[in-house]
Amino acid sequence: MRIFSGIQPSGDIHIGNYLGAIKQWVALQNKVYPVRGGISNKADCIFCIVDWHAITVPYNQTMLQRKIKEVAAIYLAAGLSPEKNIIFVQSQVKEHAELAWLLNTITPLGDLQRMTQFKEKAAKQANVEAGLFNYPVLMAADILLYQTDIVPVGEDQKQHVELTREIARRFNTRFGKTELSSGEVFSLPKAQTLKIGAKIMSLTAPDKKMSKSDKNPQASITLFDSPEQIKKKISSATTDSGHEIKFQPKEKPGISNLLTIYSLFSDKSIKDLEKAFLGKSYQEFKASLSEILIEKLKPFRNKKAELDKSPESIEKILADGALRAQKIAQATMQKVRTSMGLL
Ligand code: ATP
Ligand code: LTN
């Protein structure tokens, strides 16, 4: 069983990225899957810092270098082990670009035009470059290079993983089982999302997802916000004019989002939280949520401060990860080139 996922080194990693993606990954690194013959195997987990994706919108190059290392430190601070997982930077394994080009040649234009993320991001920009349009093909290359079975992501990425599956299917049909190839070239991947937490909403506009590229810093809580920042952001989070602490995403999107965050950080069910806060004010609920967040995010801040003291150790982990990733990527590329009739 192979698991692959990644985060773009754009903006500050927020609790949506953590709850929707990274928290799942930390659990998956220890998960054992049954295989044939009654034997169980630990999944191979590969977690990437997808820097080539982050440059598909305007960015600052000095910041990018810092962010790449920061995302690596966040993976480690959140509990991903470099021994149990391959952790690496996308641009350090050139096969991602090679496969992306080849997959471009079999991806219908219409499929890319339908992508929601492209439409949303393009609408925000004066100039839209081809890289943003082709972004899902690079993502398909990331996933297919490693013969991935499962892609743990937030809700917003399901459409891209579906497209990846389509591209893999099309490739296998066109180039698998021919005189040049003995069988399927790619495994078909599947997205894995959580039932609760796959879409954490913005604190200021709870009809939109919390997003790194949101210009309003009050909209998200980052993993390294100070206790004061957390208190301020939660106390000014948008709610409704009512006073009941109830999970009703349509009628009460703000409070429902805060309940989801509370539940995921405290491991208490939403039902239990509704009971515990029956008759309490929004203010009391928000104060309690701030306390939980301050307490649960503290270990991240501490671990990150420790890691910041030894940048060489992170560089070594990334260099080692790139070598291990490249071995797998090279084996896939050999099959891809041969099956496509390249030398
Ligand atoms: P950007 O605004 O730069 O696109 P982002 O906040 O959407 O950034 P990504 O790097 O695109 O973050 O996403 C990293 C992972 O976090 C993906 O698996 C994505 O699905 C997940 N994710 C992003 N935002 C949320 C959210 N609000 N709730 C749950 N999961 C999320
Ligand atoms: N598009 C994803 C980031 C990403 C990714 C991947 C996620 C790029 N390549 C491969 C999973 C697998 C996003 O979160 N915006």
Side-chain angles (χ1 to χ4, degrees), residues 47-335:
F47 299 116
C48 186
I49 296 142
V50 288
D51 52 349
W52 275 337
H53 280 92
I55 61 172
T56 56
V57 290
Y59 73 101
N60 172 300
Q61 57 272 38
T62 321
M63 280 284 271
L64 180 64
Q65 273 197 342
R66 243 200 8 242
K67 288 281 159 202
I68 293 171
K69 292 179 191 158
E70 191 179 289
V71 174
I74 287 171
Y75 284 5
L76 301 171
L80 290 178
S81 144
E83 283 87 38
K84 291 182 184 163
N85 309 290
I86 297 180
I87 298 175
F88 77 105
V89 178
Q90 181 186 37
S91 63
Q92 296 190 333
V93 178
K94 311 294 179 217
E95 284 75 6
H96 288 250
E98 182 182 0
L99 184 58
W101 174 254
L102 300 177
L103 297 181
N104 262 315
T105 66
I106 60 154
T107 305
L109 218 57
D111 285 6
L112 296 178
Q113 276 158 343
R114 267 197 298 281
M115 293 294 113
T116 310
Q117 184 183 283
F118 170 70
K119 288 193 269 191
E120 285 176 1
K121 291 204 169 175
K124 287 191 202 148
Q125 275 158 226
N127 300 309
V128 178
E129 273 83 29
L132 185 63
F133 186 65
N134 288 319
Y135 175 118
V137 184
L138 178 60
M139 179 159 163
D142 300 340
I143 296 169
L144 300 180
L145 260 185
Y146 299 97
Q147 306 294 348
T148 303
D149 301 295
I150 293 177
V151 189
V153 281
E155 186 71 33
D156 61 314
Q157 295 302 313
K158 269 168 96 171
Q159 193 185 36
H160 287 158
V161 182
E162 267 310 304
L163 177 67
T164 301
R165 206 178 153 83
E166 266 313 300
I167 293 175
R169 203 178 277 134
R170 177 168 309 193
F171 191 101
N172 286 342
T173 309
R174 169 85 175 80
F175 299 113
K177 294 198 194 123
T178 67
E179 64 276 23
L180 293 177
S181 168
S182 52
E184 312 275 89
V185 178
F186 293 124
S187 302
L188 297 189
K190 258 179 103 165
Q192 178 173 298
T193 50
L194 295 171
K195 284 205 182 71
I196 306 174
K199 192 170 184 184
I200 300 296
M201 310 309 276
S202 149
L203 298 181
T204 51
D207 55 329
K208 283 193 318 190
K209 80 165 191 123
M210 191 177 280
S211 162
K212 278 194 251 110
S213 47
D214 199 317
K215 297 273 182 303
N216 180 358
Q218 300 305 316
S220 42
I221 301 232
T222 76
L223 290 190
F224 305 118
D225 273 349
S226 66
E228 292 67 38
Q229 286 169 313
I230 294 175
K231 279 188 199 152
K232 188 158 174 273
K233 289 179 183 180
I234 294 292
S235 72
S236 58
T238 303
T239 48
D240 52 86
S241 56
H243 54 266
E244 269 185 308
I245 296 153
K246 276 202 127 176
F247 187 76
Q248 289 174 333
K250 282 222 172 72
E251 299 81 1
K252 297 163 89 64
I255 279 292
S256 303
N257 188 39
L258 297 182
L259 270 169
T260 304
I261 297 172
Y262 199 131
S263 165
L264 291 167
F265 273 106
S266 65
D267 286 326
K268 290 188 180 138
S269 74
I270 290 183
K271 281 254 157 328
D272 284 349
L273 291 173
E274 284 176 340
K275 266 192 225 145
F277 286 98
L278 190 71
K280 299 262 167 63
S281 68
Y282 283 179
Q283 226 177 350
E284 284 169 291
F285 171 67
K286 283 177 163 183
S288 174
L289 173 58
S290 297
E291 289 309 317
I292 290 280
L293 284 170
I294 292 167
E295 180 199 321
K296 296 286 177 176
L297 294 180
K298 194 172 169 195
F300 288 98
R301 281 199 303 277
N302 294 346
K303 186 86 205 292
K304 168 82 169 27
E306 222 177 89
L307 288 164
D308 284 347
K309 288 187 208 142
S310 55
E312 333 71 54
S313 70
I314 296 187
E315 275 161 33
K316 193 171 168 308
I317 287 169
L318 294 177
D320 174 59
L323 278 179
R324 289 163 66 198
Q326 197 170 37
K327 273 212 183 100
I328 307 172
Q330 280 174 344
T332 299
M333 281 319 298
Q334 199 49 54
K335 281 211 271 184

